[in-house]
Amino acid sequence: MAAFDSYGELSEEHAALRATVEDFAQKEVAPVIGEFYERGDFPYDLVRKMGAMGLFGLPIAEEHGGMGGDYFALCLALEELARVDSSVAITLEAGVSLGAMPISRFGSDEQKAKWLPQLAAGEKLGAFGLTEPGGGSDAGATRTTAKLDGDEWVINGSKCFITNSGTDITEIVTVTAVTGEREGKKEISAIVVPSGTPGFTVSEKYSKVGWSASDTRELFFDDVRVPAENLLGERGRGYAQFLSILDEGRIAIAALSVGLAQGCVDESLRYAHEREAFGHPIGHYQAIQFKIADMEVRAHTARLAYYAAAAKMLKGQPFKKEAAIAKLVSSNAAMDNARDATQIFGGYGFMNEYPVGRFYRDAKILEIGEGTSEVQRMLIARHLGL
């Protein structure tokens, strides 16, 4: 059965999942997440509950402890979570898209059996270390190295801005490293490093503008030794593997962005009915009506964009351009809607006790993470033959 029809109508199975996650987000996440956000604490209890619901295993095969669903199911869950809070949503997105999916896509049978069941259950988290202090989008700037010494890789270097890398339940971090040289270019491979490996240390958590209840850290590798069999996939294909994961991840981030954009509409509608000015609810005034109407247009259009990208992905068709479009359109919608929602709330929108204050702080990173808006435009232009 298709995930949705040509009009965007969800299948019965996907509609039920969306409703279940919406209910969880409203009843379990919304009442408590503000306190976690203000303290900068990681919401372990919410992560545990999401794991029990099977959300971390949505696109993972049943034989490896997952739900055996498709990637679009994950996107729907991310959208509903982000309508309430992006810290929880990005924890799920990174845990699945960047933590578990590389193992699922490229891991050996032994690697899948060893790590996927706990990752799919949400009992443990995985992370992916690509970005370094001197380079993110530029793979050629990778300085972390891994050299074979007998039957072990010896890793040296550092990574930055790595989500889910320093929690109490982080199990593994897959890192890209230079493992040699081919035809004058760096050979980049992906290697799985278990948490607690000697020489592998994580920094204190960053003080961030947004996503305050998610875990983001800098990583350091000082003669870190892991077994040779921890190589993920083919040697020298680490960056190419990550790019394929990133294409899927852009659809997931687009879904998360749509959730934030829609959450801004939800909150603004509620406030427009409750808040009065000059004898009327502010929703009575055309200036507010038009602003909210434009916000709904952005969220709706962005949703169609990520649905279209997901449809091609599920059919096994090339979707790189569509994923870039979805990511660009959706992150723009999130940023614009967060700004407008904050304006509608006025002074209260500047207070962290209101969700739109969190939305405003969280929106900007969506134009940066998993491929900046500039990178998306480069990809789109390239597919147009420019």
Side-chain angles (χ1 to χ4, degrees), residues 245-327:
I245 291 293
L246 198 59
D247 286 336
E248 296 178 347
R250 283 172 179 149
I251 302 178
I253 290 294
L256 191 157
S257 300
V258 168
L260 190 153
Q262 192 66 57
C264 289
V265 176
D266 298 341
E267 294 297 323
S268 296
L269 278 173
R270 180 187 60 76
Y271 193 69
H273 287 296
E274 295 177 355
R275 174 69 170 176
E276 292 194 359
F278 306 105
H280 296 282
I282 62 173
H284 171 81
Y285 302 106
Q286 195 174 67
I288 300 298
Q289 294 172 4
F290 280 12
K291 196 177 289 290
I292 295 177
D294 285 343
M295 293 165 63
E296 176 68 8
V297 168
R298 293 186 198 114
H300 179 78
T301 304
R303 183 177 296 107
L304 293 178
Y306 100 71
Y307 274 28
K312 298 199 76 170
M313 175 180 64
L314 295 180
K315 291 178 181 178
Q317 300 174 349
F319 63 93
K320 184 182 290 287
K321 182 186 75 173
E322 288 75 14
I325 291 172
K327 206 272 185 180

Side-chain angles (χ1 to χ4, degrees), residues 89-361:
I90 194 59
T91 298
L92 175 63
E93 193 278 335
V96 179
S97 178
L98 301 178
M101 291 309 291
I103 305 294
S104 178
R105 290 276 191 268
F106 308 111
S108 65
D109 290 340
E110 292 76 13
Q111 289 170 339
K112 292 176 182 179
K114 184 175 182 178
W115 288 308
L116 278 183
Q118 286 186 308
L119 297 180
E123 297 170 358
K124 299 291 183 179
L125 292 175
F128 199 105
L130 171 74
T131 304
E132 298 187 1
S137 302
D138 180 9
T142 300
R143 294 185 177 181
T144 297
T145 62
K147 297 180 180 180
L148 268 179
D149 181 17
D151 58 356
E152 292 182 320
W153 290 104
V154 182
I155 305 171
N156 284 281
S158 64
K159 301 289 179 178
C160 63
F161 311 140
I162 310 304
T163 304
N164 290 347
S165 58
T167 73
D168 293 344
I169 57 174
T170 299
E171 179 74 3
I172 57 169
V173 178
T174 302
V175 300
T176 51
V178 178
T179 52
E181 188 174 294
R182 290 185 182 181
E183 299 178 355
K185 295 182 179 180
K186 292 179 179 179
E187 174 193 82
I188 298 177
S189 305
I191 301 171
V192 181
V193 181
S195 297
T197 302
F200 171 33
T201 58
V202 298
S203 72
E204 292 296 315
K205 58 188 178 183
Y206 288 108
S207 175
K208 296 175 294 187
V209 171
W211 285 359
S212 296
S214 71
D215 180 81
T216 317
R217 315 230 182 187
E218 190 170 6
L219 313 180
F220 302 95
F221 304 90
D222 183 11
D223 286 337
V224 174
R225 290 179 173 269
V226 298
E229 58 263 29
N230 280 25
L231 176 71
L232 184 64
E234 183 182 344
R235 177 171 176 169
R237 295 285 298 168
Y239 191 69
Q241 290 168 187
F242 181 75
L243 289 180
S244 68
I245 291 293
L246 198 59
D247 286 336
E248 296 178 347
R250 283 172 179 149
I251 302 178
I253 290 294
L256 191 157
S257 300
V258 168
L260 190 153
Q262 192 66 57
C264 289
V265 176
D266 298 341
E267 294 297 323
S268 296
L269 278 173
R270 180 187 60 76
Y271 193 69
H273 287 296
E274 295 177 355
R275 174 69 170 176
E276 292 194 359
F278 306 105
H280 296 282
I282 62 173
H284 171 81
Y285 302 106
Q286 195 174 67
I288 300 298
Q289 294 172 4
F290 280 12
K291 196 177 289 290
I292 295 177
D294 285 343
M295 293 165 63
E296 176 68 8
V297 168
R298 293 186 198 114
H300 179 78
T301 304
R303 183 177 296 107
L304 293 178
Y306 100 71
Y307 274 28
K312 298 199 76 170
M313 175 180 64
L314 295 180
K315 291 178 181 178
Q317 300 174 349
F319 63 93
K320 184 182 290 287
K321 182 186 75 173
E322 288 75 14
I325 291 172
K327 206 272 185 180
L328 179 62
V329 170
S330 301
S331 58
N332 285 343
M335 192 68 198
D336 290 343
N337 278 16
R339 183 184 60 249
D340 282 353
T342 302
Q343 192 70 20
I344 289 170
F345 271 70
Y348 290 113
F350 204 60
M351 302 295 114
N352 284 325
E353 64 184 283
Y354 289 86
V356 294
R358 299 200 308 272
F359 293 164
Y360 188 78
R361 291 170 60 182

